Amino acid sequence: MYLSGRRTPALIVVASLFLVPGASRAADELPLLSIKLGKKVEFIPHLEYRPRFIGHSGKDFKAGPGYHAVTHRARLGLEAKLFEWASVMIQAQDVRTWGEELDPQGDYKSDGFDMHQAWAELRCPLGLALRIGRQEIVLDNERLVGAGNWTDQGRALNAINFTAEHKGLTTKLFWARIGEKDVYQADDKGNAVRGTPGDIDLGAVWLRYGKLKAVRPSIMLIYDRNGSLPRNRFTLGAYLEGEPAAGLFYSGEFFYQTGWQDQGAAQKTIAAFMGAVKLGYTLPVKLAPMIQGWFEYLSGDDDAKDDKLKTFDTLYGTNHKFYGYMDFFLNLPKDTANMGLMDLGGRLQVSPAKGFTVWADFHYFWMGKKLSTPAGGVIQLGPEVDLVVNYRYNKLLGAQAGFGVMVPTRGMTCIRGGCRDDRSTETFGYVMGDVTF
């Protein structure tokens, strides 16, 4: 095609399903499809559809009807890369439970439709990037800040995010507005929508050195402010991971929380901590069997009358990754009644065929502190076992199925308001498809 008397490729469609020799980006970074306008503008579509059937026996540890439903997540986005120094991303999503619209023709509000991401980014050749807008932010293993991909809605933050990369050192600084007291909106009836009583903010400084395979350390300082309480809290800590030998891997982390929070007429000092270690090994034989073990401790608070708050808060972490697939501890510290959490467990994993991975996780949970009840103190929560089968046909298509069992102790029912002796075993299962483009 000729434009302005010159031979210029005005529209080039590149489908990178296979490795492109001489490509400037690695094969795993190539988009499945991109549309190029000349040499300076590239459009990359992002599409995802993830249906999931979930069955749960109740999450209440007593006999009775459970929960069974089909949910889905549908995302459609478009990323534009402009002149190698700028990008713009728009991504909408629809999240819903099938059957929630009782009148499929008359209910057209699409309550689960939202803008998941909407950001603009500026880059320069020195490894600097500035991204502004609604975006996913992930720090390390998502222990404290993550995208929450397991949930249908995921997590995105309205943030200003600055990143610098130089000789293996990555630095990230971001600030996000979580809650706004001055909201200028209106509901369906035209009434003004009130914001939070005070602004809620989240900010962090994160540094990671990833050039060495055996030792990849990172440190971070997170500041979260809740003007509604009010509370000012700082989380400082370090994360270390590596692969010192073929098949051997490890990770360790420690975080301390300090600051202050008003509780009624009193101001309390925050003094909480958490630590976690993991060690694993993959055997270099057929089926690639892998075994790993871990221990985690999150501090709790068994004295509500003193002047300290000692319960560790996992902030905006992806807790589904760490504390069991049955999601009894998604909201910490609330889900353990501020008593903290201990988790001793391990994983066995094999790859029986191409594209298949099967693993079984075992957890035994305790509270970090004893919970006082009329019948005495309790600390044990009980074991959970999860079995997952994952299949990935290619970059485009995948599927996963899982089953979990939780055998509660009296302590588990106590933190859920029951303290029952006639407790029943909980079961959980799901089947999920994934089409990502």
Side-chain angles (χ1 to χ4, degrees):
M1 178 178 292
Y2 293 87
L3 291 179
S4 302
R6 298 165 55 190
R7 181 175 293 179
T8 305
L11 178 61
I12 304 174
V13 179
V14 180
S16 53
L17 291 170
F18 307 98
L19 177 63
V20 180
S24 60
R25 286 173 288 183
D28 57 354
E29 296 177 349
L30 288 171
L32 193 66
L33 174 68
S34 68
I35 301 172
K36 291 186 176 180
L37 299 178
K39 297 181 179 180
K40 300 297 184 181
V41 179
E42 181 180 11
F43 293 96
I44 303 173
H46 297 270
L47 298 91
E48 180 187 6
Y49 184 68
R50 195 179 74 176
R52 180 161 59 195
F53 168 78
I54 294 179
H56 207 296
S57 56
K59 275 194 173 181
D60 52 8
F61 306 103
K62 61 183 179 181
Y67 171 83
H68 305 85
V70 178
T71 67
H72 82 208
R73 177 172 80 194
R75 288 179 176 173
L76 175 62
L78 183 65
E79 181 180 359
K81 295 189 175 182
L82 312 171
F83 305 100
E84 299 183 353
W85 54 267
S87 295
V88 177
M89 172 72 164
I90 301 292
Q91 185 182 47
Q93 73 174 12
D94 179 76
V95 173
R96 68 182 62 227
T97 299
W98 289 12
E100 69 181 38
E101 296 176 334
L102 300 182
D103 183 353
Q105 183 176 8
D107 184 353
Y108 45 86
K109 293 181 180 179
S110 297
D111 296 331
F113 185 82
D114 194 10
M115 189 63 66
H116 181 61
Q117 294 192 88
W119 50 259
E121 181 180 88
L122 298 177
R123 300 180 297 274
C124 79
L126 299 178
L128 306 178
L130 178 63
R131 180 176 294 184
I132 301 176
R134 188 167 179 82
Q135 57 192 281
E136 293 181 348
I137 296 180
V138 172
L139 300 182
D140 289 325
N141 59 353
E142 304 189 49
R143 176 76 67 176
L144 300 179
V145 179
N149 186 59
W150 166 256
T151 62
D152 287 329
Q153 68 274 16
R155 179 187 291 120
L157 303 176
N158 300 307
I160 299 174
N161 185 5
F162 174 79
T163 304
E165 297 184 8
H166 181 67
K167 294 184 178 181
L169 178 65
T170 302
T171 303
K172 183 185 293 289
L173 297 89
F174 77 84
W175 166 79
R177 173 55 55 92
I178 307 298
E180 174 60 61
K181 63 182 179 64
D182 297 319
V183 176
Y184 296 98
Q185 295 181 355
D187 59 19
D188 294 339
K189 298 181 180 179
N191 300 316
V193 176
R194 297 185 63 184
T196 54
D199 293 337
I200 303 174
D201 298 292
L202 177 71
V205 180
W206 173 80
L207 293 90
R208 173 181 171 85
Y209 185 74
K211 203 168 185 179
L212 301 177
K213 187 176 182 180
V215 181
R216 294 188 292 267
S218 65
I219 59 174
M220 72 177 73
L221 172 64
I222 302 175
Y223 170 63
D224 66 290
R225 177 177 74 97
N226 191 325
S228 300
L229 295 176
R231 178 181 64 210
N232 287 272
R233 180 169 55 195
F234 299 87
T235 304
L236 175 65
Y239 174 74
L240 180 67
E241 65 171 359
E243 301 169 32
L248 180 66
F249 59 93
Y250 71 91
S251 69
E253 55 200 302
F254 179 84
F255 297 100
Y256 183 79
Q257 288 180 335
T258 185
W260 57 94
Q261 175 177 322
D262 286 0
Q263 248 187 23
Q267 185 179 87
K268 293 196 173 188
T269 301
I270 299 171
F273 68 93
M274 72 85 58
V277 292
K278 180 171 68 176
L279 180 66
Y281 182 70
T282 302
L283 280 68
V285 296
K286 189 177 180 180
L287 301 183
M290 183 270 287
I291 182 171
Q292 64 175 272
W294 60 74
F295 176 75
E296 303 178 6
Y297 180 86
L298 289 79
S299 64
D301 193 344
D302 58 354
D303 187 356
K305 297 181 180 180
D306 67 8
D307 61 350
K308 291 186 181 296
L309 297 175
K310 294 168 284 190
T311 303
F312 189 85
D313 192 320
T314 56
L315 303 176
Y316 298 91
T318 303
N319 288 343
H320 176 80
K321 291 179 58 177
F322 304 104
Y323 310 119
Y325 280 24
M326 297 180 72
D327 290 339
F328 286 108
F329 309 109
L330 276 185
N331 187 356
L332 293 174
K334 180 181 178 182
D335 286 343
T336 58
N338 293 317
M339 293 297 109
L341 184 67
M342 284 192 292
D343 177 17
L344 177 65
R347 170 176 292 187
L348 294 173
Q349 177 178 300
V350 294
S351 300
K354 183 179 180 181
F356 279 96
T357 307
V358 181
W359 64 86
D361 288 354
F362 172 80
H363 301 263
Y364 199 96
F365 296 109
W366 296 264
M367 286 175 273
K369 296 288 186 179
K370 281 188 177 181
L371 177 68
S372 297
T373 72
V378 292
I379 192 169
Q380 294 189 59
L381 298 174
E384 176 180 329
V385 178
D386 303 314
L387 177 64
V388 178
V389 179
N390 187 74
Y391 176 66
R392 198 76 206 174
Y393 178 71
N394 56 21
K395 188 177 180 179
L396 179 65
L397 301 173
Q400 189 176 104
F403 180 77
V405 178
M406 173 72 175
V407 183
T409 65
R410 181 179 176 83
M412 189 67 185
T413 63
C414 285
I415 63 175
R416 302 226 159 214
C419 278
R420 289 185 296 275
D421 292 321
D422 60 341
R423 54 193 175 271
S424 62
T425 297
E426 289 284 343
T427 59
F428 165 75
Y430 70 93
V431 178
M432 179 173 69
D434 182 30
V435 180
T436 303
F437 186 86

